[in-house]
Amino acid sequence: MLNRTLSVAATVVTLLAGAAPAAMAAGTGSGPADFRTAVQAQGAERVTAAVVDLDGTGREPSVYGDDTPYDTASIVKVDILAAMLLHARDHQRTLTARESAAAEVMIRNSDNDAASALWHAIGQAPGLESANKRLGLTSTVGGPGGLWGLTRTTASDQIRLLRAIYGTGATALDTASRSRISTLMTETAADQSWGVSAAADSGWALKNGWLMRTTTNLWDINSVGRVTAGGHHYLVAVLSDGNASMPDGVNLVERAARTAVSATAAH
């Protein structure tokens, strides 16, 4: 249910976003209505973006839209891996060969069986939430039982997670763990190279999530990662739901990523 074998590369129409309008100036974020207009959100679609310029002076993310919880879908796999690495270090060991193999396919190929195995290994939602306290997350609630994809999070909390991986400050993750996660996020399968990468003009690393909710037949589409644009390095999280289709959601997330990074760069 969480990941479907669907290549969006051929179906996604790339909509080039121009300079962000004045209402999108970074700093304290923009109102939900302003951001919806800027990224052409329609109907039931909701979208929120958060951005940090790693080469800038600000510590807090610029948030665009309403920073309320969304389903994670498969972006939670980054969080699961971070929790697994913390769990292993707490027990003074490295990942086993089986755990390492699961981690690799979970991030590179968004493999659900691998995610389920590691979700159980960390202790499901309680284990994730315990790890997240150490990583600085404040607004992420693990999914019920084995439903890791129904973990709820905010765009600003995803920036906190990305900071723990890519930031230069103190973090619960050691250097080897940070390197392991960041490297895997540069190695995602070719059919999953959409999302926040649309805001990059050179390098990027990401993890995407996509989920059709059976109660509504509408799609959750999310993307988080690190992009390089205009010589600066940005952490970007874009969360959305209420999308009529997966391609529609991918288009919305890419428009949001470009608009938010452009607005942050202009600040």
Side-chain angles (χ1 to χ4, degrees):
M1 178 179 70
L2 293 171
N3 289 332
R4 295 165 184 256
T5 305
L6 175 61
S7 174
V8 299
T11 57
V12 173
V13 178
T14 302
L15 300 177
L16 297 177
M24 296 301 301
T28 58
S30 66
D34 296 334
F35 192 54
R36 281 181 58 85
T37 299
V39 300
Q40 304 166 43
Q42 300 176 356
E45 296 170 346
R46 290 195 312 149
V47 61
T48 303
V51 181
V52 163
D53 181 352
L54 289 176
D55 301 306
T57 58
R59 292 292 301 171
E60 293 301 313
S62 297
V63 178
Y64 303 94
D66 193 354
D67 197 25
T68 55
Y70 291 78
D71 299 329
T72 58
S74 285
I75 61 168
V76 75
K77 292 170 180 174
V78 175
D79 204 1
I80 292 172
L81 178 53
M84 187 69 232
L85 290 166
L86 284 176
H87 176 80
R89 194 181 71 183
D90 288 346
H91 290 80
Q92 299 182 330
R93 68 175 180 84
T94 59
L95 298 189
T96 66
R98 179 173 293 183
E99 289 167 345
S100 291
E104 291 178 6
V105 297
M106 179 177 70
I107 302 299
R108 289 174 178 157
N109 305 104
S110 207
D111 186 272
N112 290 334
D113 290 339
S116 294
L118 295 182
W119 177 250
H120 286 281
I122 66 171
Q124 299 186 5
L128 186 79
E129 291 167 11
S130 177
N132 282 346
K133 287 181 181 178
R134 298 164 63 184
L135 294 168
L137 280 69
T138 61
S139 304
T140 298
V141 179
L147 301 178
W148 43 262
L150 295 185
T151 296
R152 301 279 284 174
T153 194
T154 62
S156 57
D157 234 19
Q158 287 302 297
I159 293 294
R160 294 182 182 102
L161 177 59
L162 292 170
R163 273 196 182 281
I165 299 167
Y166 293 102
T168 57
T171 173
L173 293 171
D174 60 22
T175 301
S177 296
R178 295 169 70 179
S179 177
R180 187 168 200 167
I181 299 170
S182 60
T183 297
L184 286 173
M185 290 176 69
T186 67
E187 298 173 349
T188 51
D191 65 346
Q192 297 172 31
S193 61
W194 48 269
V196 297
S197 56
D201 58 24
S202 53
W204 50 265
L206 58 71
K207 182 71 192 79
N208 296 325
W210 58 102
L211 165 65
M212 188 181 76
R213 298 305 308 269
T214 56
T215 54
T216 62
N217 291 327
L218 299 176
W219 288 76
D220 300 332
I221 304 291
N222 305 319
S223 185
V224 298
R226 178 180 181 270
V227 304
T228 302
H232 281 229
H233 304 92
Y234 299 92
L235 302 180
V236 188
V238 183
L239 309 179
S240 78
D241 62 18
N243 297 284
S245 69
M246 182 173 177
D248 285 345
V250 171
N251 280 328
L252 176 62
V253 165
E254 293 191 338
R255 292 195 301 271
R258 286 191 291 263
T259 300
V261 169
S262 176
T264 302
H267 180 61

